[in-house]
Amino acid sequence: QVQLVESGGGLVQAGGSLRLSCAASERTVSSYAMGWFRQVPGKDREFLATISWSGESTYYADSVKGRFTISKDNAKNTVRLQMNSLKPEDTAVYYCAADCNNDYGGIQKDRYDCWGQGTQVTVSS
């Protein structure tokens, strides 16, 4: 019954910024660890960032550390991914995910049980 809807994707020039948002069904963001992943056609889904259910801890993949920031707003029941200094290799479909079974999140995609449909991000050179 958990629903996640990503938005904010689009076309941006290299070096630019983009903010992705994930609108969740009621109380999802405050109840579960949340994560962002991305996927290129023919490739495995790649971990990007996660935030604990309490918001007290975050963790980032080395490829985006220092450039991307995950955050959440419990009142709005949303999780966001601020992406700065974008590179052409960041081009992918970006997915929002929730650890609906309370497995403490993490970097493994299999620990996330609820997923959005994804939003396309294209970074031009």
Side-chain angles (χ1 to χ4, degrees):
Q1 62 181 3
V2 172
Q3 298 182 55
L4 303 172
V5 181
E6 302 94 338
S7 63
L11 176 64
V12 65
Q13 292 182 310
S17 299
L18 205 60
R19 186 180 72 178
L20 304 183
S21 295
C22 175
S25 51
E26 190 172 358
R27 305 190 70 81
T28 296
V29 169
S30 62
S31 299
Y32 312 111
M34 305 293 295
W36 283 97
F37 293 75
R38 68 187 180 191
Q39 188 168 24
V40 175
K43 303 293 183 180
D44 291 336
R45 194 161 295 187
E46 176 190 8
F47 166 78
L48 298 175
T50 186
I51 186 168
S52 62
W53 68 269
S54 66
E56 295 180 350
S57 64
T58 58
Y59 186 78
Y60 299 89
D62 289 340
S63 61
V64 303
K65 190 174 299 182
R67 298 191 299 125
F68 291 10
T69 302
I70 188 172
S71 63
K72 68 188 185 78
D73 187 324
N74 291 340
K76 296 181 179 179
N77 204 26
T78 60
V79 60
R80 294 184 172 88
L81 185 69
Q82 178 65 46
M83 306 185 295
N84 299 324
S85 301
L86 285 164
K87 308 172 182 179
E89 49 263 46
D90 292 320
T91 296
V93 175
Y94 284 67
Y95 296 90
C96 173
D99 176 17
C100 295
N101 287 330
N102 286 315
D103 294 319
Y104 303 105
I107 67 173
Q108 297 89 0
K109 62 182 182 295
D110 290 345
R111 302 187 73 175
Y112 296 84
D113 313 287
C114 302
W115 295 83
Q117 295 299 305
T119 184
Q120 177 71 46
V121 172
T122 302
V123 183
S124 63
S125 61

